[in-house]
Amino acid sequence: MIDIGFGTFCTSADGRISTNHTFRIKNLIFEKVMESFNANLRDLFRLLDLCKKEGIEIFRLGSNFIPYASHSLFKQEWLSKIEPSLIEAGDKIKQNYNIRITMHPGQFIILNSPKKEVLENSLRELKYHFWVLDTLGIGEDGIVIIHIGGVYGDKKRAIERFINNVNENKWLKRRLAIENDEKMFTAQEVLAIAKTLELPFVFDLLHHKLNPSSFPMEEIIKTWNGKGIPKFHLSSMGEGKKGIHGEYVNFEDFIELIKMLRDTGIKKVHLMIEAKQKEKAIKKLKDQIVIRNR
DNA sequence: TCGAGTCAAGTTCAG
DNA sequence: CTGAACTTGACTCGA
């Protein structure tokens, strides 16, 4: 039997608690940053309490935690004013919670873009993510997950660019993890990149089903060697519209992933449940597992 | 107070 | 050519 630690992200199911408070860029001043940051910090602990209560083992911090922190108009000295609160928060997390914290920046982070500016912006954004996790004192398993990026009409070149850009910015390897996406890069392709760069591979079942390929699951698990408990994304298709995350996870999808994992002999995994109903979706899944095992 | 429209950023593809 | 989708909803305005 595989030991499964479930994970949730950014907000509570009712949407009332969020680590993604923000404001409009035209209103960017230090006071607005602090207002959102303080709300995000307060809600982070509310969410960590919720996770503790629900037995959730992994939490994804929202990328808006410090709004516009990587924007060119954001003054870097503001970060040094925020730093003490983050260090304090990190201590509090270590003392009171046993939870893994990760991040997953948005679709704008593209390390294989042919445009110099896009690459630079992406690196700045990733640097901010690393800084947050480092300042909180989060361990090595606090990964930052991204997709490979665009294809630009030549996938081989696009992959080469990704590999070169990571190799030219070696600091990325400390926390970077890569994920297969639902359109462009299959699990098979991401696995090859992960092996070349020695990056952990976060396998996403829904993306794999929309963009299938064949690969040995043991190889995916091997990419996690020394980088924490192997992490997977699990979600189900929303009703009607394709590609959109559903409210809950279909039990069949859960079973499908577990079947893939079972034969590898892995003992423990983290499953990030990407469902709109967040902690409620986890609860429902756990209930179904209990019923199934009865 | 609430629903609708809008929001920093890239890229792709359905329609 | 446009809008919507991915990461995630949150904010803002006007009725």
Side-chain angles (χ1 to χ4, degrees):
Chain A
M1 196 65 194
I2 304 169
D3 179 6
I4 301 162
F6 288 100
T8 188
F9 58 102
C10 302
T11 64
S12 58
D14 63 13
R16 286 206 289 231
I17 318 175
S18 167
T19 58
N20 271 335
H21 293 275
T22 184
F23 52 89
R24 296 292 190 253
I25 184 75
K26 64 178 181 189
N27 299 324
L28 178 59
I29 53 168
F30 181 62
E31 286 69 27
K32 293 293 282 183
V33 174
M34 285 313 283
E35 192 184 310
S36 291
F37 168 67
N38 285 325
N40 289 334
L41 195 56
R42 178 200 64 208
D43 279 5
L44 169 62
F45 283 101
R46 289 181 179 167
L47 286 162
L48 292 181
D49 285 337
L50 181 64
C51 288
K52 202 174 187 177
K53 185 170 144 250
E54 299 289 340
I56 291 169
E57 297 181 23
I58 173 164
F59 179 73
R60 178 193 300 165
L61 186 57
S63 287
N64 282 340
F65 194 53
I66 306 170
Y68 306 107
S70 74
H71 194 281
S72 56
L73 294 173
F74 188 102
K75 295 191 173 40
Q76 288 308 295
E77 68 248 32
W78 294 349
L79 284 184
S80 48
K81 294 191 186 172
I82 288 171
E83 196 172 12
S85 327
L86 270 191
I87 293 172
E88 195 190 319
D91 290 342
K92 216 166 126 187
I93 293 171
K94 254 171 276 168
Q95 284 160 21
N96 300 304
Y97 305 91
N98 181 23
I99 194 162
R100 179 184 194 178
I101 294 182
T102 66
M103 294 181 89
H104 190 355
Q107 68 273 38
F108 308 107
I109 288 27
I110 298 170
L111 290 181
N112 75 352
S113 176
K115 297 177 197 157
K116 192 162 167 256
E117 204 178 308
V118 174
L119 174 63
E120 281 170 3
N121 290 343
S122 299
L123 289 170
R124 255 210 326 274
E125 178 75 355
L126 286 168
K127 201 174 151 200
Y128 146 68
H129 281 76
F130 278 44
W131 182 83
V132 167
L133 293 168
D134 287 345
T135 309
L136 282 172
I138 304 294
E140 297 273 296
D141 69 349
I143 50 170
V144 176
I145 303 152
I146 61 166
H147 295 280
I148 304 302
V151 168
Y152 312 93
D154 187 340
K155 196 178 258 187
K156 192 161 165 278
R157 280 240 179 99
I159 290 173
E160 276 170 16
R161 249 190 336 267
F162 185 90
I163 290 171
N164 288 338
N165 288 340
V166 172
N167 275 329
E168 280 170 23
N169 295 278
K170 291 248 187 289
W171 56 273
L172 288 170
K173 294 195 176 188
R174 203 158 49 82
R175 289 193 188 274
L176 203 68
I178 51 180
E179 179 186 348
N180 56 312
D181 65 78
E182 82 285 12
K183 272 188 198 155
M184 316 306 303
F185 293 93
T186 63
Q188 186 182 73
E189 288 158 345
V190 174
L191 176 60
I193 298 168
K195 280 157 88 173
T196 305
L197 287 170
E198 298 183 296
L199 296 178
F201 175 9
V202 177
F203 175 76
D204 184 305
L205 180 66
L206 179 63
H207 292 164
H208 170 65
K209 287 166 77 165
L210 293 168
N211 187 17
S213 63
S214 62
F215 58 88
M217 181 58 90
E218 310 81 61
E219 296 283 318
I220 290 183
I221 289 165
K222 270 190 209 159
T223 66
W224 287 90
N225 195 18
K227 287 172 177 165
I229 294 164
K231 181 171 177 288
F232 298 82
H233 287 177
L234 178 60
S235 59
S236 295
M237 219 108 76
E239 294 289 318
K241 290 177 265 182
K242 62 168 181 171
I244 303 181
H245 289 159
E247 298 288 320
Y248 293 90
V249 171
N250 296 336
F251 196 61
E252 305 81 64
D253 289 328
F254 168 76
I255 293 295
E256 187 174 344
L257 181 58
I258 294 305
K259 276 184 179 160
M260 294 172 90
L261 295 172
R262 205 170 44 196
D263 296 336
T264 68
I266 188 164
K267 299 278 189 297
K268 168 103 195 180
V269 293
H270 275 155
L271 293 193
M272 178 59 70
I273 302 302
E274 295 183 319
K276 290 201 196 303
Q277 290 299 324
K278 308 285 164 74
E279 77 279 4
K280 287 191 190 164
I282 293 175
K283 203 173 221 170
K284 186 175 172 187
L285 203 47
K286 282 183 173 175
D287 287 347
Q288 287 173 304
I289 293 166
V290 171
I291 291 166
R292 172 89 169 212
N293 287 338
R294 231 171 14 211

